[in-house]
Amino acid sequence: MSRSTSRTILIAAVAAGLATGMSTAAATPGTAPPTTRQEAYAAAAEEFGVPESVLLGVSYLESRWDTNAGLPSTSAGYGPMHLTDVGTANSGGTHHDEGTEDPRGDTARPMLPPDPGEQDFSAPSLRTVDVAADLTGVDIATLRSDPVQNIRGGAALLADYQRGLGVDSDAPGDWYGAVAKYSGATDTGSARTFADEVFKTISEGVSRVTDDGQRVSLPATPVDADASQLGDLGLRQTGAGEVECPADLGCEWIPAPYEAFGDGDYGNHDKANRPQSQKIDYIIIHDTEGSYQTTLNLVQDPTYVSWQYTLRSADGHIAQHVKAKDVAWQAGNWYINSKSIGLEHEGFAANGAWYTEAMYRSSSKLVRYLAGKYGIPLDRQHILGHDNVPGTIPSTVRGMHWDPGPYWDWAHYFELLRAPFRSTGTSLTGLATIRPDYATNKPAFTGCKTAGVPCEPHGSGSVVLRTAPADDAPLLTDIALHPDGSPGTMHISDHSARAETGQTFAIAERRGAWVAVWYLGQKGWFKASDAAWSAGFVATPKKGLASVPVYGRAYPEAAAYPSGIPPQAVTPLQYTLSAGQKYAVGLVTPSEYYWAVTYDATNHTVVRGKTKYLQIQFGHRVAFVNVDDVDVRLSFL
């Protein structure tokens, strides 16, 4: 029987099954439905005439073959094939709804209120489930929730793209154009990057157990892919312009405007000369909480805010907006802004629970490039989430944003960065690095869609900290988020008692299967099985001091400011670091303040003081202590 005849029979069988309410999970007439994920890929590949390796490779780049419990990605994608349905996924608010953060974070200037604007959901790449439904005859809800049908939908899309190119071949390398189109990219650079990653995955092979316990394997099969098909897709050429980016990522330059408005006002970033003027110490990981196009609209608004790079979810495409030498208004803390580079990752649904592999890979390649160029260590003291950036003064702590949130997979991300979190000591060497098993660690968060309502269980890199070594002990408190001293909650944005994968804390005590670390002036207990052990340096108050102040920014002493530049207050946060407590030291940093309040960059000045600070892992967010206030010692002494 010819392949075309087989497909005709199959379509008729599927239609009959739908009409009678029968299951359509079987891939071919007369066969039993697939019982494993591996069989589902094989059946869908056979049904739609897609090389199985291509179907597996595309799916891996989207979801790593996971189902994510039927929850949407942060860019509206569902299931192993990341079929997108923006209408369903975009319910609820964003993390910006619960924060009053001033992205600029410079108290010397008027507050810049957040204004996310209208969302733009016009991109066809946000509605691929509709096309899959037309091609398969399966309803949209089933395509979202049923892994077998989701895989069939993805296979149908790939086959449709291949037909559109007029290519009739079973050779995986001849599917390059269809794979590139599946990415949803509108430019050649991004489509090429996605397709190259897929065929690299096919050539190298991969095997893993999915989030629902399915073993899936893609054997290593070298492929000579026909990249010339890219020219047949009608995509625009990527405008590389002035990008600072690895050549193989296909980044484009979409500049943020630097404009003066009159009356001394200007936006949306500050000119500088880093790293000559100031060392770049940090890379900040953000979640946009807006679609890719919405995010581009915002960063091109001269009256709004800025960041250096935006990454698109489905294909990992990168756009750069602000040069690394300049200071973007992104992290809500001017000291951090002036010493960091910000990366925004596409995501808009408050209930979005996962990020695509394509975006993780592009992001990790970009971060490795930037870290190498600017000498930034690849650790969680320098690669921070926006949710790890401290408030500047007591009044700003509560309004700080909490992205990328508890579903960002820091362990996988650092594996891609080639800097995985491993034990290099024991529990006696004094430091604990948070390292739960992402897939099986499913904290009972609430409020993803509606306040108080439990979120659907999903893997997470967050570990909850308790006041005692017991599963039912109260959570710790964060007096900035809960001024009345009440315990933290499991609300998705409440990180009062939440440590994140890769963060390293000083060990305070061990009891059986539990370990306590110093956290916001308290002992926070969690299961020792969720930790990796190491040794390093810790800070503790100098002998004779009952407590020392903790700061959200490392600003110079007043005497360091030249005439004409008002000294910035060195204001402690509302927390206490008491005698007997120890906190892991991340880095030693100079006291600096970047005075940049005029459009004319020749008036910008870096004020440097004699005071030096230590960055410590104080709670969910980092903090700073004056070197003169603390003793620094090895963690195991």
Side-chain angles (χ1 to χ4, degrees):
M1 182 183 296
S2 69
R3 175 175 287 172
S4 60
T5 302
S6 177
R7 289 179 189 166
T8 301
I9 294 173
L10 176 65
I11 290 171
V14 169
L18 289 172
T20 61
M22 294 168 58
S23 170
T24 61
T28 56
T31 64
T35 59
T36 67
R37 188 72 37 76
Q38 190 84 50
E39 290 177 0
Y41 283 109
E46 172 64 23
E47 176 183 356
F48 293 99
V50 181
E52 186 176 348
S53 62
V54 170
L55 184 60
L56 284 163
V58 169
S59 182
Y60 189 85
L61 252 291
E62 295 288 18
S63 69
R64 299 175 74 211
W65 305 323
D66 286 339
T67 64
N68 289 286
L71 298 173
S73 75
T74 59
S75 54
Y78 290 84
M81 296 303 299
H82 197 252
L83 300 180
T84 55
D85 184 357
V86 69
T88 300
N90 184 42
S91 60
T94 77
H95 72 257
H96 297 298
D97 297 339
E98 300 176 10
T100 56
E101 176 189 292
D102 173 8
R104 191 160 50 201
D106 183 3
T107 50
R109 302 187 64 181
M111 182 175 178
L112 192 68
D115 182 20
E118 294 296 320
Q119 295 283 1
D120 185 340
F121 299 138
S122 60
S125 61
L126 295 176
R127 293 177 173 83
T128 60
V129 73
D130 296 338
V131 181
D134 290 340
L135 292 170
T136 62
V138 178
D139 67 273
I140 289 174
T142 301
L143 285 169
R144 287 197 307 263
S145 60
D146 184 330
V148 171
Q149 297 302 334
N150 186 273
I151 292 168
R152 291 184 67 245
L157 283 174
L158 278 166
D160 186 59
Y161 297 155
Q162 184 79 338
R163 285 192 297 271
L165 289 169
V167 179
D168 185 11
S169 173
D170 293 331
D174 291 335
W175 285 71
Y176 189 95
V179 170
K181 186 173 178 64
Y182 196 97
S183 72
T186 57
D187 66 285
T188 55
S190 305
R192 179 184 295 109
T193 297
F194 181 87
D196 286 348
E197 282 293 323
V198 168
F199 285 99
K200 178 183 177 183
T201 301
I202 294 171
S203 296
E204 295 178 349
V206 65
S207 179
R208 70 182 295 265
V209 176
T210 66
D211 59 355
D212 58 343
Q214 295 280 316
R215 167 64 67 178
V216 182
S217 297
L218 172 57
T221 308
V223 178
D224 183 16
D226 182 8
S228 67
Q229 295 178 355
L230 196 63
D232 299 329
L233 297 180
L235 305 176
R236 64 180 174 84
Q237 292 295 315
T238 306
E242 304 177 46
V243 294
E244 300 162 301
C245 198
D248 63 345
L249 280 181
C251 304
E252 66 177 325
W253 177 245
I254 302 177
Y258 187 68
E259 295 181 13
F261 311 135
D263 296 326
D265 198 9
Y266 67 96
N268 60 12
H269 57 282
D270 279 293
K271 296 294 184 182
N273 190 34
R274 306 183 306 174
Q276 285 75 24
S277 57
Q278 285 184 283
K279 187 177 184 300
I280 300 174
D281 282 327
Y282 307 102
I283 296 172
I284 310 299
I285 304 300
H286 299 260
D287 174 351
T288 65
E289 292 297 334
S291 71
Y292 179 76
Q293 188 56 54
T294 299
T295 306
L296 295 190
N297 295 343
L298 293 176
V299 80
Q300 293 176 90
D301 180 351
T303 68
Y304 194 52
V305 296
S306 58
W307 44 90
Q308 270 79 13
Y309 299 89
T310 301
L311 289 88
R312 189 164 56 205
S313 178
D315 59 350
H317 176 56
I318 300 172
Q320 184 176 1
H321 315 294
V322 177
K323 303 292 285 218
K325 70 181 182 65
D326 297 326
V327 177
W329 301 348
Q330 41 110 8
N333 183 313
W334 186 244
Y335 177 79
I336 299 292
N337 280 348
S338 68
K339 297 177 72 64
S340 69
I341 294 171
L343 278 61
E344 287 277 5
H345 297 77
E346 182 187 17
F348 53 81
N351 60 320
W354 55 286
Y355 297 81
T356 66
E357 179 69 2
M359 188 159 65
Y360 275 130
R361 290 195 176 197
S362 289
S363 182
S364 62
K365 285 184 179 180
L366 177 59
V367 168
R368 282 204 315 268
Y369 165 84
L370 295 171
K373 184 174 182 179
Y374 297 106
I376 303 170
L378 291 174
D379 58 39
R380 291 287 275 116
Q381 291 78 38
H382 297 82
I383 312 299
L384 303 177
H386 192 175
D387 55 338
N388 307 136
V389 175
T392 53
I393 55 178
S395 62
T396 67
V397 176
R398 188 171 186 175
M400 295 293 288
H401 290 167
W402 54 276
D403 59 303
Y407 298 130
W408 180 268
D409 192 344
W410 286 106
H412 179 55
Y413 192 56
F414 269 75
E415 288 169 356
L416 292 173
L417 288 172
R418 301 171 192 164
F421 308 123
R422 296 193 178 108
S423 286
T424 57
T426 71
S427 60
L428 301 178
T429 52
L431 296 181
T433 296
I434 305 301
R435 195 188 61 178
D437 178 71
Y438 182 92
T440 59
N441 179 53
K442 299 179 180 181
F445 297 127
T446 65
C448 287
K449 291 184 179 180
T450 305
V453 176
C455 303
E456 291 291 333
H458 192 276
S460 172
S462 296
V463 168
V464 176
L465 303 178
R466 301 186 178 276
T467 56
D471 290 321
D472 58 354
L475 302 184
L476 299 185
T477 189
D478 182 334
I479 59 173
L481 304 183
H482 300 278
D484 62 357
S486 59
T489 70
M490 292 301 292
H491 185 73
I492 190 72
S493 65
D494 186 353
H495 51 68
S496 299
R498 193 180 300 170
E500 205 66 40
T501 292
Q503 292 180 326
T504 297
F505 296 88
I507 296 174
E509 191 177 348
R510 281 290 308 268
R511 289 191 206 170
W514 292 78
V515 61
V517 295
W518 290 112
Y519 186 99
L520 297 178
Q522 307 155 83
K523 288 183 180 180
W525 291 89
F526 67 101
K527 294 289 182 62
S529 56
D530 289 332
W533 315 113
S534 63
F537 292 98
V538 295
T540 189
K542 282 188 178 296
K543 187 176 180 179
L545 297 179
S547 65
V548 299
V550 178
Y551 303 94
R553 53 193 185 184
Y555 276 0
E557 66 279 3
Y561 290 80
S563 175
I565 299 181
Q568 301 299 300
V570 181
T571 306
L573 300 177
Q574 54 268 71
Y575 306 107
T576 299
L577 197 169
S578 299
Q581 298 178 7
K582 299 182 290 186
Y583 292 86
V585 173
L587 62 149
V588 181
T589 189
S591 55
E592 295 178 346
Y593 172 65
Y594 186 42
W595 172 251
V597 297
T598 62
Y599 178 75
D600 182 0
T602 61
N603 295 323
H604 297 178
T605 303
V606 178
V607 180
R608 293 184 171 86
K610 295 181 180 179
T611 306
K612 289 187 177 181
Y613 292 86
L614 298 177
Q615 178 186 301
I616 59 173
Q617 190 64 61
F618 189 60
H620 189 85
R621 302 184 188 274
V622 299
F624 302 96
V625 291
N626 190 321
V627 167
D628 293 335
D629 290 337
V630 295
D631 287 326
V632 178
R633 62 184 64 163
L634 288 171
S635 56
F636 51 82
L637 296 180

